């Protein structure tokens, strides 16, 4: 077999965490019908490239040398365990290049190592939504964002002379609107027009950003940003999805990883989708930072993905070969079915962080649907122009706002729970010496967390108890996929009742709030005890210092008295003279 070098292979320098997921399974198709493992095909593909160490490739000689050093005959020479571990690491490192060379020679027809994208299938991403929360501790940040921007500059187009700060002041005092338009920002040079829009340099993927402030109770303001993508950016995911991805070496911390065509397709396609998410989250963190940005946590995000042929909302079992293609763009939800009658034809699907490692699965959701099916549903296109994709995005934007805030509240609770856990776990190391600065740190942390937690808990509870329903308050229902229910019915199994997701969120959040408030109460009691003990310790230390200061003062007074002059001689001389006379008299 002719020798080949891997040095001309496509190499990616992303960190390994950005390309994770390849080591838990060698192929997503194993164990599923339609993509059966063939031992004969595997052996044929494996033999196309010689085993490492059997040729004259650049890595064969070093591998043979390392293998010889690790052999049993050299054990008495190479004794240090750390050295042997380093040699074993080098051996594994070199083997990756052999795997990469084999991946390049693998059969293009093997469904376990390749992803086939149906040529007639396409995906379009017209919009992305990002949510940021502003509890009491972040109110100043929202005020500063409004003050630094010129979002109010063209509010003269609105029949209201109140600016954003006035709207914010009224809403947080319980006298304002439940929501209002915070800003509409258009990309400089774009043809898009809004009545009161300002123009600035947005990230190149976005044509415009619409910010809406949503008031929950009196103390919690949420800002929902709708990023409308340019036509080029909206098609970017589809273009990467349809590209022919060759095997790659992924470099980063630790060992490089050899990706076959399937895993390269998964990572690079998901990376293209995540790039849109990162741009939206990054802009939000820079221009309107709030609770999530203050903890360097990803804000809750939803994006809209419109398919050309397949219909995820229909709930049919996904064809095995199409399953890999959909997984490449981040869809793995053909078991659970989350839908809303207020958004017909659209399926809500969370990003699975285990199956889609390149995507930021934390607080990331996708809204999936078929463009043709949705366009035929009454209400979507009425009065929204001829652009079907943008009309669907505009309709979705008018419905998803309140629900996205409810998802964000769960994210708020996740962070609060994590922060309380950090305070608990670091309390012994941080506060055992009763130092004032450490006590102040604990007090500031608990003050911020307590203030936010109690305020948001009260506001969310009032929100759930409302006896009226806003047009934007939509409900999602969680059910098993229709194809599973059909199978259950055919086999005579009892059907699992669907769950209203809003009710599930309400119950879960209420229990979450109760648990955290109880923990907060315990921590505050402990803080009071620590403060009292610290005060006692400080009082004891101060009393000891005062005693020694008194002793020192007494000593100084005695010395001063002895050195004082009385009738041409000091007291000390007089005392010594008197002692001398007494001794002579004896």
């Amino acid at each position: 077999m002719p020798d080949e070098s891997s040095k001309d292979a496509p190499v990616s320098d992303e960190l390994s965490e950005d390309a994770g997921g390849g080591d838990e399974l060698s192929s997503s198709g194993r164990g599923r019908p339609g993509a059966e493992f063939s031992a004969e095909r595997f052996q044929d593909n494996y033999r196309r490239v010689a085993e490492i160490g059997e040729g004259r490739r650049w890595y064969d000689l070093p591998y043979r040398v390392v293998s010889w050093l690790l052999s049993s005959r050299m054990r008495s020479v190479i004794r240090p365990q750390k050295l042997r571990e380093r040699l074993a690491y080098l051996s594994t490192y070199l083997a990756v290049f052999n795997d990469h060379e084999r991946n390049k020679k693998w059969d293009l027809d093997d469904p376990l190592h390749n992803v086939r994208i149906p040529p007639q299938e396409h995906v379009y991403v017209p919009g992305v939504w990002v949510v940021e929360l502003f509890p009491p501790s972040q109110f100043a940040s929202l005020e500063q964002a409004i003050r630094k921007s010129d979002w109010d500059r063209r509010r003269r187009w609105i029949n209201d002379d109140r600016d954003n700060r006035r709207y914010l002041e009224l809403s947080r005092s319980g006298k304002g609107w439940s929501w209002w338009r915070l800003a509409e920002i258009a990309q400089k040079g774009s043809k898009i027009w809004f009545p009161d829009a300002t123009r600035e340099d947005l990230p190149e993927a976005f044509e415009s950003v619409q910010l809406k402030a949503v008031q929950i109770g009196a103390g919690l303001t949420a800002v929902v940003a709708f990023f409308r993508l340019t036509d080029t950016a909206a098609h970017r995911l589809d273009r990467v999805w349809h590209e022919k991805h060759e095997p790659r070496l992924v470099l980063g911390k630790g060992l490089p990883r050899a990706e076959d065509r399937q895993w390269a397709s998964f990572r690079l396609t998901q990376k293209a989708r995540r790039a849109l998410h990162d741009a939206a989250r990054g802009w939000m963190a820079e221009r309107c930072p709030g609770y999530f940005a203050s903890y360097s946590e990803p804000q809750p995000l939803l994006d809209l993905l419109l398919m050309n042929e397949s219909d995820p909302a229909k709930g049919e079992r996904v064809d095995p070969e199409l399953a890999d293609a959909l997984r490449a763009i981040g869809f793995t939800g053909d078991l659970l079915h989350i839908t809303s009658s207020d958004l017909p034809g659209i399926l809500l699907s969370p990003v699975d962080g285990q199956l889609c490692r390149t995507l930021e699965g934390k607080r990331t959701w996708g809204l999936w649907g078929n463009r043709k099916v949705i366009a035929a549903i009454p209400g979507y296109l009425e009065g929204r122009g001829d652009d079907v994709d943008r009309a669907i995005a505009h309709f979705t934007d008018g419905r998803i706002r309140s629900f996205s805030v409810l998802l964000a509240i769960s994210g708020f609770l996740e962070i609060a729970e994590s922060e309380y856990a950090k305070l608990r776990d670091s309390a012994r190391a941080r506060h055992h010496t009763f130092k004032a600065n450490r006590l102040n740190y604990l007090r500031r942390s608990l003050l911020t967390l307590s203030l936010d937690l109690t305020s948001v808990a009260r506001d969310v509870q009032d929100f759930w108890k409302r006896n009226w329903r806003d047009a934007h308050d939509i409900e999602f229902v969680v059910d098993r996929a229709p194809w599973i229910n059909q199978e259950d019915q055919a086999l005579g199994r009892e059907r699992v009742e669907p769950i209203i997701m809003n009710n599930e969120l309400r119950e879960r959040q209420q229990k979450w709030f109760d648990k955290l408030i109880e923990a907060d109460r315990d921590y505050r009691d402990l803080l009071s005890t620590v403060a009292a003990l610290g005060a006692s310790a400080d009082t004891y230390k101060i009393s000891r210092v005062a005693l020694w200061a008194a002793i020192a003062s007494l000593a100084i007074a005695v010395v001063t008295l002895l050195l004082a002059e009385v009738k041409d001689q000091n007291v000390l001389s007089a005392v010594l003279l008197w002692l001398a006379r007494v001794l002579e008299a004896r």
Side-chain angles (χ1 to χ4, degrees):
M1 177 176 294
D3 298 326
E4 294 184 17
S5 173
S6 301
K7 63 184 180 181
D8 59 341
V11 176
S12 172
D13 57 358
E14 295 93 352
L15 297 180
S16 57
E17 65 181 18
D18 200 31
D23 18 86
E24 67 174 76
L25 288 172
S26 62
S27 172
S28 65
R30 291 190 180 180
R32 59 177 174 81
E36 298 178 358
F37 175 75
S38 170
E40 183 178 350
R41 166 179 274 174
F42 179 83
Q43 291 175 0
D44 177 63
N45 281 296
Y46 197 84
R47 290 167 183 162
R48 293 182 182 185
V49 174
E51 282 277 14
I52 184 170
E54 295 180 358
R56 290 182 295 172
R57 295 157 298 193
W58 69 267
Y59 52 80
D60 285 324
L61 180 58
Y63 183 83
R64 287 196 291 267
V65 172
V66 171
S67 298
W68 175 69
L69 292 174
L70 288 173
S71 63
S72 57
R73 72 181 69 176
M74 296 296 294
R75 184 174 294 275
S76 58
V77 178
I78 310 297
R79 289 185 175 181
Q81 183 62 26
K82 287 188 177 181
L83 178 57
R84 296 186 65 83
E85 289 176 357
R86 290 178 181 272
L87 290 172
Y89 179 87
L90 178 59
S91 174
T92 306
Y93 188 96
L94 295 171
V96 173
F97 293 90
N98 185 248
D99 292 337
H100 174 61
E101 188 174 351
R102 184 170 289 107
N103 286 335
K104 292 193 295 180
K105 296 293 185 180
W106 207 271
D107 186 0
L108 289 170
D109 295 326
D110 188 350
L112 296 180
H113 288 262
N114 299 278
V115 176
R116 294 189 182 92
I117 311 298
Q120 72 280 6
E121 183 65 275
H122 296 278
V123 61
Y124 186 84
V125 187
V128 176
W129 291 264
V130 176
V131 186
E132 184 59 276
L133 296 180
F134 295 88
S137 67
Q138 296 299 321
F139 176 70
S141 299
L142 181 55
E143 275 195 320
Q144 183 179 11
I146 294 174
R147 186 172 58 253
K148 289 174 62 178
S149 67
D150 59 350
W151 297 337
D152 288 322
R153 183 167 57 88
R154 297 191 62 182
R155 293 186 74 85
R156 61 181 181 271
W157 290 92
I158 300 177
N159 295 324
D160 193 333
D161 59 353
R162 289 177 289 188
D163 58 14
N164 274 310
R165 277 179 284 185
R166 182 57 178 162
Y167 273 112
L168 184 62
E169 178 184 343
L170 290 173
S171 295
R172 292 184 75 95
S173 64
K175 302 174 183 177
W177 299 95
S178 60
W179 75 274
W180 74 94
R181 294 183 182 276
L182 190 66
E184 290 178 328
I185 306 163
Q187 179 74 273
K188 283 184 177 179
S190 68
K191 296 180 180 179
I192 193 169
W193 180 85
F194 295 110
D196 57 346
T198 59
R199 291 189 177 271
E200 62 180 64
D201 290 320
L202 297 173
E204 59 86 21
F206 305 128
E207 187 175 60
S208 66
V209 182
Q210 294 175 281
L211 299 178
K212 300 181 183 70
V214 181
Q215 192 65 35
I216 304 294
L220 178 62
T221 305
V223 175
V224 182
F226 170 48
F227 294 83
R228 179 181 290 182
L229 273 63
T230 64
D231 192 62
T232 301
H235 284 97
R236 188 172 298 157
L237 175 62
D238 182 71
R239 187 177 66 252
V240 177
W241 191 34
H242 280 270
E243 285 179 0
K244 183 180 179 182
H245 299 289
E246 288 299 317
R248 293 201 171 207
L249 279 173
V250 182
L251 305 179
K253 296 179 181 178
L255 288 170
R257 187 164 58 82
E259 289 182 338
D260 61 11
R261 294 180 182 89
Q262 184 187 63
W263 286 105
S265 178
F266 287 169
R267 180 176 61 84
L268 295 174
T269 308
Q270 292 170 14
K271 182 182 176 183
R273 184 182 171 193
R274 178 171 176 173
L276 301 175
H277 299 176
D278 290 345
R281 282 172 165 147
W283 185 92
M284 195 70 171
E286 179 182 353
R287 295 301 309 279
C288 197
Y291 183 81
F292 294 101
S294 68
Y295 288 100
S296 301
E297 287 280 343
Q299 306 98 327
L301 179 145
L302 300 96
D303 56 355
L304 179 62
L305 300 100
L306 300 177
M307 308 299 296
N308 198 48
E309 294 292 334
S310 61
D311 184 7
K314 196 173 182 179
E316 295 179 342
R317 188 169 191 173
V318 178
D319 178 81
E321 289 194 9
L322 181 61
D324 280 340
L326 293 177
R327 177 178 174 180
I329 55 176
F331 179 78
T332 56
D334 66 338
L335 299 179
L336 282 180
H337 202 65
I338 308 176
T339 56
S340 172
S341 59
D342 298 294
L343 282 176
I346 289 181
L347 180 73
L348 177 67
S349 176
V351 170
D352 190 325
Q354 295 298 317
L355 296 178
C356 304
R357 294 283 184 89
T358 306
L359 283 170
E360 174 58 71
K362 200 172 186 180
R363 306 184 194 101
T364 305
W365 300 72
L367 295 165
W368 302 78
N370 181 281
R371 159 189 301 107
K372 301 173 186 175
V373 172
I374 297 175
I377 298 174
Y380 271 101
L381 306 184
E382 295 174 3
R384 294 183 176 86
D386 298 328
D387 191 325
V388 174
D389 299 310
R390 294 190 178 185
I392 295 172
H394 186 270
F395 181 89
T396 306
D397 178 52
R399 297 291 187 276
I400 201 65
R401 182 166 59 241
S402 294
F403 185 80
S404 66
V405 175
L406 298 180
L407 293 178
I409 291 171
S410 293
F412 166 87
L413 289 167
E414 288 178 4
I415 296 175
E417 186 174 51
S418 175
E419 290 302 307
Y420 275 114
K422 290 178 183 177
L423 287 176
R424 177 198 65 211
D425 295 340
S426 63
R428 175 67 178 88
R430 190 182 292 273
H431 309 294
H432 71 284
T433 56
F434 296 110
K435 289 187 177 180
N437 60 340
R438 294 177 178 177
L439 191 61
N440 288 334
Y441 167 82
L442 180 62
R443 184 170 56 199
R444 286 194 303 269
S445 301
L446 279 179
L447 175 62
T448 300
L449 288 171
S450 297
L451 181 63
D452 287 346
L453 186 64
T454 54
S455 175
V456 173
R458 181 174 57 253
D459 293 331
V460 172
Q461 188 175 19
D462 291 341
F463 175 82
W464 285 119
K465 288 181 178 180
R466 293 180 308 167
N467 55 7
W468 55 274
R469 186 172 184 265
D470 191 87
H472 309 285
D473 295 341
I474 66 174
E475 284 187 346
F476 277 92
V477 177
V478 183
D479 196 3
R480 298 171 75 181
W483 68 268
I484 299 179
N485 289 330
Q486 291 169 6
E487 287 188 357
D488 288 346
Q489 184 178 4
L491 296 173
R493 290 196 291 255
E494 185 177 354
R495 188 181 188 279
V496 177
E497 290 300 319
I499 299 171
I500 298 178
M501 188 174 180
N502 300 55
N503 295 341
E504 183 72 14
L505 278 174
R506 177 177 58 194
E507 293 176 7
R508 188 189 313 164
Q509 288 175 1
Q510 185 59 58
K511 293 179 181 177
W512 217 338
F513 274 120
D514 292 342
K515 182 178 71 173
L516 290 177
I517 289 174
E518 183 179 357
D520 176 74
R521 189 181 303 114
D522 293 340
Y523 289 151
R524 280 189 282 109
D525 290 343
L526 287 174
L527 177 60
S528 300
T529 303
V530 169
L533 292 175
S536 300
D538 290 340
T539 302
Y540 174 68
K541 291 177 181 178
I542 291 174
S543 64
R544 292 179 62 186
V545 171
L547 177 62
W548 283 108
I551 294 173
S553 299
L554 178 61
I556 293 173
V558 170
V559 171
T560 303
L561 178 63
L562 292 176
L563 297 178
E565 293 186 359
V566 178
K567 295 183 179 179
D568 298 333
Q569 64 178 356
N570 57 44
V571 176
L572 180 60
S573 300
V575 171
L576 293 176
L577 181 61
W578 176 76
L579 288 175
R581 290 175 179 175
V582 170
L583 292 175
E584 288 176 359
R586 289 184 179 180

